[in-house]
Amino acid sequence: MTAAADDMTAGSTGRTRASIFARSSAYLQAAPLAIILGCFLLLPIVMIAVVSFWDYDFAQMYPDFITLNYAETLGSWVTWKTYLNTLRYAAIVWALTLFIGFWVAYYLAFHIRTTTMQMVLFLVCTVPFLTSNIIRMISWIPVLGRNGLVNSALVGAGIVPAPVEWLLYSDFAVVLAMVHLYTLFMVTPIFNTLMRIDRSLVEAARDAGATSWQILWNVIIPLAKPGMAIGTIFVVTLVMADFSTVQVMSGGQSASVALMMKNQMSLLQYPAAAANAVVLLVLVLLMVAGILRIVDIRKEL
Amino acid sequence: MSHEKRSLEFWVLSAFFVLFVLFLYGPLSAIVILSFQGENGGLTFPLNGLSLHWFANLFERQAVGDFGGSFRRSFLLGAMVMIVTVVVSLLAGLAFRRRFLGATALFYLAVASLVVPSIIISLGIGVLFQQIGLRPSWYGSAFGAHLTWTLPFGVLIMFAVFNRFSPSYEEAARDLGASSWQTFAHVLLPMIAPSLIGVGLFGFTLSYDEFARTLMTAGTFNTLPLEIYGMTTNVTTPVLYALGTVTTLFSFLVIAATLGIIVWLGRRRTRG
């Protein structure tokens, strides 16, 4: 925001006219974004909040003001179990992606010496994330399946007598696929903050006699926290919103909140799905608000 | 940087990194290999002969739904999303360089767009269109739904770019008598062009692969990811892998072309 402040004071001649023009042009420039997000983000969310109080039957919704949808959602034991299960996925995937993401980012930022090599290796990590999520999920089937690569290898080597059944269509498969899909969202922000750490701090710590473990623990990790926080926002919100990975990788045996919503939607129970959506949205926004108290995103960009 | 001998830490982390890359690419290569499965082969190894049977199968219209049509729709939608994302993000990035009323609110609205679960946006737009009496379509409701996912990325990238962009270049141009349009077109735009191309790549690939946001908003005609998702439940032949190979190859081509353009722009700038 300092750039903006400089701009305001640096204007030379015709200061007032120019600044009025600049001011209105800022509004014009921001308008398309505001209009698109207003129409396709704010309005739909308002609509969901409204519809969550409506009545419905097998065919139609009826404008009303009932709290039955919330009562049914929050009063059901299944809902609570599903929320707990989703939070469990979020916690496990968060821990794993944070661990993997930090070490990968740390390796790229501190152990690769040339910028070109850094960029090449970073791209190698990035490319799979720009391809289809569903294809990347499916690609685990020939690896983890009953007759898949892992099982063939294990049976062939005589480690297990019969194929391991829990590799595919299980919670294990769901978590593995989510880590596979979402780790980059942790690597990128952490890599970004690590690259901005002043290297002389590390030198100073070393001159002062710190071991490399102490440097890592007392200098680098504290400075990497904003990147970890941003990565956490991405990973947690993606896992909380996930239904396709849970559906495909658990073979329909596990549930997540979004999957529950999707099933309600396919039964045309929109008000019930809407009530669920409001609860999920409040939960996710509270989590993000909590993380944003630790980090100022605008400073980190 | 340091020139001392490589430590143990380096070798341990190198091994970890190699494992990570194998983890990323291993399964993908498995389905690429399996898509060349022989005619009588199944969904898993071993290969039962080699053939292009499943690729041929893919292009027969009846075999697996409407692959050609859904690909065309996804491609067009991706292109539309890309153009709008680049233009709107650039404009918003320029706006955020100045102070204006509601700047903070708009910024956090963009962040919110990133964190709101995609299925909620899908449901909301679906119900909204239904209530206004508009017919959902891939070029209308799904287009808007995709923009709520690509625009925040574009805006955050532009925000980061302009945070590092010194206004002295523009001041110099202005002092030399350039109009504000000339300053924009000849000074600012060439300097941020690589970032804009990056935003375009994000816009295209995120839309081309987007699934959850299209679920309730695509209307009558499926996009490619919806088509593939449908196939995961009812197709039990390697034609699924052939489709995966083809779309992944296409994504790789798009990425390679984009990187090519960025490198070419960089060379041209340093030369000229």
Side-chain angles (χ1 to χ4, degrees), chain A residues 50 52 74 96 111 167 264 266 283 300:
Chain A
V50 171
S52 69
L74 297 175
L96 288 172
H111 282 286
L167 284 179
Q264 288 168 331
S266 57
L283 180 64
E300 298 308 322

Side-chain angles (χ1 to χ4, degrees), chain A residues 245-260:
Chain A
T245 317
V246 176
Q247 190 173 25
V248 172
M249 298 309 288
S250 80
Q253 294 175 43
S254 297
S256 74
V257 179
L259 186 56
M260 181 163 72

Side-chain angles (χ1 to χ4, degrees), chain B residues 254-270:
Chain B
V254 170
I255 298 164
T258 313
L259 290 178
I261 294 173
I262 292 177
V263 169
W264 177 73
L265 275 178
R267 289 235 178 99
R268 218 179 55 153
R269 243 184 74 198
T270 46

Side-chain angles (χ1 to χ4, degrees), chain A residues 4 27 107 111 124 247 265, chain B residues 9 14 25 97 101 216 229:
Chain A
Y27 286 108
Y107 175 71
H111 282 286
V124 166
Q247 190 173 25
M265 280 150 69
Chain B
E9 188 184 83
S14 297
Y25 287 85
R97 300 180 80 193
L101 200 66
M216 287 277 293
Y229 193 68

Side-chain angles (χ1 to χ4, degrees), chain A residues 63-286:
Chain A
D64 203 337
F65 189 82
I66 53 167
T67 50
L68 183 70
N69 299 312
Y70 287 100
E72 277 184 347
T73 300
L74 297 175
S76 153
W77 188 65
V78 179
T79 312
W80 287 93
K81 230 177 96 179
T82 311
Y83 269 90
L84 276 181
N85 197 40
T86 313
L87 286 170
R88 190 172 58 108
Y89 283 143
I92 299 172
V93 173
W94 171 74
L96 288 172
T97 52
L98 181 63
F99 180 82
I100 300 172
F102 177 77
W103 288 113
V104 167
Y106 175 72
Y107 175 71
L108 290 180
F110 284 95
H111 282 286
I112 303 298
R113 287 170 182 170
T114 65
T115 319
T116 322
M117 201 57 200
Q118 266 174 346
M119 283 303 130
V120 169
L121 291 182
F122 182 67
L123 270 175
V124 166
C125 296
T126 313
V127 165
F129 291 87
L130 296 174
T131 66
S132 164
N133 274 5
I134 297 171
I135 298 292
R136 293 176 66 213
M137 262 180 246
I138 297 169
S139 66
W140 282 105
I141 294 173
V143 179
L144 298 178
R146 200 168 187 286
N147 302 310
L149 286 176
V150 174
N151 268 326
S152 314
L154 287 178
V155 174
I159 298 172
V160 291
V164 184
E165 298 284 352
W166 52 261
L167 284 179
L168 191 62
Y169 304 132
S170 61
D171 280 348
F172 169 78
V174 173
V175 169
L176 185 75
M178 283 179 173
V179 171
H180 189 226
L181 291 175
Y182 302 141
T183 304
L184 181 82
F185 290 99
M186 201 57 106
V187 174
T188 309
I190 297 179
F191 179 62
N192 184 38
T193 41
L194 290 183
M195 290 298 280
R196 294 164 74 189
I197 292 178
D198 190 347
R199 297 306 144 113
S200 52
L201 289 175
V202 178
E203 297 286 317
R206 190 169 297 144
D207 291 346
T211 63
S212 52
W213 183 250
Q214 284 174 319
I215 295 175
L216 183 67
W217 194 251
N218 296 321
V219 179
I220 294 172
I221 290 183
L223 289 173
K225 271 185 186 152
M228 294 181 187
I230 293 175
T232 303
I233 292 178
F234 272 114
V235 171
V236 167
T237 56
L238 283 167
V239 175
M240 293 300 289
D242 189 283
F243 62 91
S244 48
T245 317
V246 176
Q247 190 173 25
V248 172
M249 298 309 288
S250 80
Q253 294 175 43
S254 297
S256 74
V257 179
L259 186 56
M260 181 163 72
M261 274 178 62
K262 184 183 168 258
N263 292 336
Q264 288 168 331
M265 280 150 69
S266 57
L267 295 170
L268 300 182
Q269 300 172 340
Y270 294 135
N276 238 323
V278 171
V279 176
L280 177 64
L281 185 62
V282 169
L283 180 64
V284 168
L285 290 182
L286 281 177

Side-chain angles (χ1 to χ4, degrees), chain A residues 1 4 25 27 29 47-48 61 106-107 111 113 124 127-128 130-131 135 139 142 180 241 247 265 298, chain B residues 4 6 9 14 23-25 27 31 34 45 91 95-98 101 107 117 120 131 209 216 229 244 252:
Chain A
M1 284 279 68
S25 74
Y27 286 108
Q29 286 163 341
M47 193 73 217
I48 285 181
M61 307 190 282
Y106 175 72
Y107 175 71
H111 282 286
R113 287 170 182 170
V124 166
V127 165
L130 296 174
T131 66
I135 298 292
S139 66
H180 189 226
Q247 190 173 25
M265 280 150 69
R298 299 178 71 142
Chain B
E4 73 241 66
R6 293 299 200 179
E9 188 184 83
S14 297
F23 171 65
L24 285 185
Y25 287 85
I31 68 159
L34 281 171
F45 284 100
L91 287 175
F96 278 123
R97 300 180 80 193
R98 304 207 185 85
L101 200 66
F107 180 81
I120 294 183
Q131 290 301 312
D209 298 326
M216 287 277 293
Y229 193 68
F252 281 1

